[in-house]
Amino acid sequence: MNDPQQNGQDEGVVLTEAQKRARRSRSIAIAVALGALVILFYVMTLVKGPGVLMRPI
Amino acid sequence: MAFVGEGAKLTGSLAAGSELGLAEPSLATVSDYIALLKPRVMSLVVFTALVGLAVAPGHLHPVTAFTALLCIAVGAGASGALNMWYDADIDAVMTRTSRRPVPMGRVRPGEALAFGLTLAGFSVMTFGLLVNWAAAALLAFTIFFYAVIYTMWLKRSTPQNIVIGGAAGAFPPMIGWAAVTGSLSLEPVLLFLIIFFWTPPHFWALALYRTQDYARAGVPMLPVVAGETATRWQVLLYTLVLVPLGIAPWMLGYAGPIYGFVAVVTGAIMLLLAVQVFRERAPAERASRNMFAFSILYLFLLYAVLLVERGWGGLIARLAS
């Protein structure tokens, strides 16, 4: 009977437009960085061949 | 707390969390996070690492060389973020640093810490997996040295902070060298020593006309603790050690005549400026400002000539043969 979802007392964090824009730009930057990391490992695998993980210590 | 005031409306149980600073949405943008990387310092680190990489004997595939420089750049950025996380309190009271993202409240300390640790981990692991583990270990040590030994320990406890801490800024050419060879020798150590002995006169020249800034922040820079006269002495002494070290690569046969000429001429100018700093007395600060500005050009010229002469020159010779 006291469900916060139903009575609207606990809606969580309500972001402002500025905060939504900032979060979106951060999310895109993280996606780009992860994508670049994947591409880097892919290209380096082509460069190094199958021995890519056999590095000198 | 400022974020709530700027517009975020927290409701229900999360509002209580926000009072503890636990649930406030961030307004940090991508440019704030880029500022945490200290891009200008990063560019100098990449440049000196490139020289180490270019003058090292052996061959490195261009993509591997790019990967090595990228990892060194990200590692340097991680060091910068960890430095800004820890130093937010003193950054806030110094004019030069008060507009950094953490003291401005745009990035919270915890965010800067997480960002720095994440980048440090990724840069070292990627370096090790894709280039070699010796260079990766050196990068990890450099990040540790800058963030823990310099930032957390030396900076606030001793006027020798930038002398010992300067080693962190001197490691990049060694990392670049190790990326190619997987080991170290006298030549990269010489490149290290040039930056190591360049750091004190460079920063003490700055500290001489920013003494009040450092004193207000409680940072025990040499002019604050030992006084102006002692600092001017130290600038001269370190320059007397630096100039022969700058010429040494030519004397030892690691560099050609162009480098030798540039090292002798710019070294003579450095000595002249150091003598002027030694003879100057406050409130005059012109000699200190000249020394600070020229020291940047001095280091850049030494490394740029070495890069052209040994790196590109060697590359052209290899292509021609």
Coordinates of all heavy atoms in Angstrom, one line a residue, chain B residues 2 28 48 112 129 148 165 271 285 319:
Chain B
A2 N 27.0 21.9 -4.9 CA 26.7 22.9 -5.9 C 25.8 22.3 -7.0 O 25.0 23.1 -7.6 CB 28.0 23.5 -6.5
A28 N 29.9 17.2 -15.4 CA 31.2 17.2 -16.1 C 31.0 16.8 -17.6 O 30.3 15.9 -17.9 CB 32.1 16.1 -15.4
T48 N 59.1 13.9 -26.0 CA 60.3 13.4 -25.5 C 60.3 11.8 -25.6 O 61.4 11.2 -25.9 CB 60.6 13.7 -24.0 OG1 59.4 13.4 -23.2 CG2 60.8 15.2 -23.9
A112 N 37.5 11.9 -10.7 CA 38.9 12.1 -11.2 C 39.7 10.9 -10.8 O 40.6 10.5 -11.6 CB 39.5 13.4 -10.6
L129 N 50.7 -5.7 -23.5 CA 50.1 -6.8 -24.4 C 50.6 -6.5 -25.8 O 50.8 -7.4 -26.6 CB 48.6 -6.8 -24.3 CG 48.0 -7.4 -23.0 CD1 46.5 -7.1 -22.9 CD2 48.3 -8.9 -23.0
V148 N 52.2 9.0 -6.6 CA 52.4 8.6 -5.2 C 53.6 9.3 -4.6 O 53.5 10.1 -3.6 CB 52.5 7.1 -5.0 CG1 52.7 6.8 -3.5 CG2 51.2 6.5 -5.5
G165 N 61.0 14.6 -7.7 CA 59.8 14.3 -8.5 C 60.0 14.6 -10.0 O 59.3 14.0 -10.8
L271 N 73.4 29.4 -19.4 CA 74.3 29.8 -18.3 C 74.2 31.3 -18.1 O 74.2 31.7 -16.9 CB 75.7 29.4 -18.7 CG 76.2 28.0 -18.3 CD1 77.6 27.8 -18.8 CD2 76.2 27.9 -16.7
E285 N 62.0 40.7 -11.5 CA 61.7 39.3 -11.8 C 61.9 39.0 -13.3 O 61.6 37.9 -13.8 CB 60.3 38.9 -11.5 CG 59.2 39.8 -12.1 CD 57.8 39.5 -11.7 OE1 57.6 39.2 -10.4 OE2 56.9 39.4 -12.5
L319 N 66.2 4.4 -45.8 CA 65.4 4.3 -47.0 C 66.2 4.4 -48.2 O 66.0 3.8 -49.3 CB 64.3 5.4 -47.0 CG 63.2 5.3 -46.0 CD1 62.3 6.5 -46.0 CD2 62.3 4.0 -46.3

